[in-house]
Amino acid sequence: MRGLTISAHGGLDRIELRDDLPTPSLTSDTQVRVRVAAAALNHLDLFVVGGLPNVRIAPPWILGSDAMGTIDLVGDAVTGLGAGDRVLINPGLSDRTCSHCLAGEQPLCPRFGILGEQLPGTMTEYVVVPAANVRRVAHDTDPAEGAAFTLSTLTAWRMLVTRARVLAGEHVLIWGIGGGVALACLQIAKLLGASVTVTSGSDEKLARARALGADDTINHHGVDVGRELRERTGKRGVDVVVDSVGEATWTQSLGALGRGGRLVTCGATSGPMVTTDVRRLFWYQWSILGSTMGNDAEFDAVVEQFRAGRLRPPIDRVYPLEEGREAFARMQDGKQFGKLVLRIAP
Ligand SMILES: [Zn+2]
């Protein structure tokens, strides 16, 4: 079996296409095996290549969290799915037995893991997952769109719908438009009827974000985005900030936040340590919300939006698996607007 792997952490030169990987078999009767048609990149994959604290890989480690494909094996206890079904994969796996799982909050599971991070990944020909982690889509679904959809849209949905509870008419600020989660947040915020301001260091990306529905844009180069937004809103500030940048933007994010505002984060690409003035936190009655991946109900909700054509991920480029390293390089350079996808099978 072919697959994009690493055998040690480091730079992108560690990424290696192998053709000697064992094809996985079912290890439980509640699993399905999926023949992968396409796999998509996420920022997480770059962190896995570079090495994450407390995450140990077993070489050769298959990269990738997102995929769409066709079921080719079904465990005996699986109902409602069959060989030949085209499916999207939710890359978040949980034990399904702890109190959080039983309460329907799988991402809070102490044994939560993500394909490609704690479990072998999707940038390969076959992947085995619990049946609970797949959802059927139409046979004519574009595999690149299907692969590009799940992780970022599921993450964005939980951030805006479940955690920040964005309402129609509210004002949402999204940092760094161009990446998968930020773009999904823009699409979902518009679907919810919010007014959206996006930032980027690239005027070209801002123009493309406007075409996707962004109401206002800020080129954040050399600008205090917090101050800028207070000016643009007549000192009111925004209701919700989506900040996955961390250290570099946190203070400006809080500066942009109005009374009763919510800051929601799912990452810290610029660094994890931030400063918050607690006096402003309680006086303005802010909420600071963490969010990771999504639960089964949220997975159902986003797949429903996908099937209805209301949420489809913008695609930056599709590469053959053999050119996987180039796709990683484009992501590392931050050049993409939309998702980077690897095509694996027809
Ligand atoms: Zn659990």
Side-chain angles (χ1 to χ4, degrees), residues 1-8 11-22 39 49 60-63 122-126 319-326 328 342-345:
M1 177 174 89
R2 295 185 312 144
L4 209 61
T5 67
I6 53 169
S7 290
L12 299 187
D13 55 340
R14 300 283 189 186
I15 297 174
E16 184 188 9
L17 179 67
R18 296 178 68 127
D19 60 6
D20 59 348
L21 302 169
V49 173
W61 186 253
I62 302 169
L63 298 165
T122 56
M123 293 172 179
T124 185
E125 292 177 278
Y126 292 92
Y319 296 80
L321 183 61
E322 295 73 24
E323 292 170 22
R325 197 186 289 168
E326 278 111 277
F328 273 77
L342 306 181
R343 193 64 201 247
I344 294 168

Side-chain angles (χ1 to χ4, degrees), residues 128-140:
V128 169
V129 290
N133 282 71
V134 304
R135 294 291 183 277
R136 212 170 16 215
V137 291
H139 270 269
D140 61 357

Side-chain angles (χ1 to χ4, degrees), residues 94-102 105-106 108-112:
S94 53
D95 61 15
R96 300 196 167 269
T97 55
C98 74
S99 60
H100 293 295
C101 285
L102 295 177
E105 282 290 23
Q106 293 83 13
L108 298 178
C109 180
R111 279 169 290 276
F112 192 75

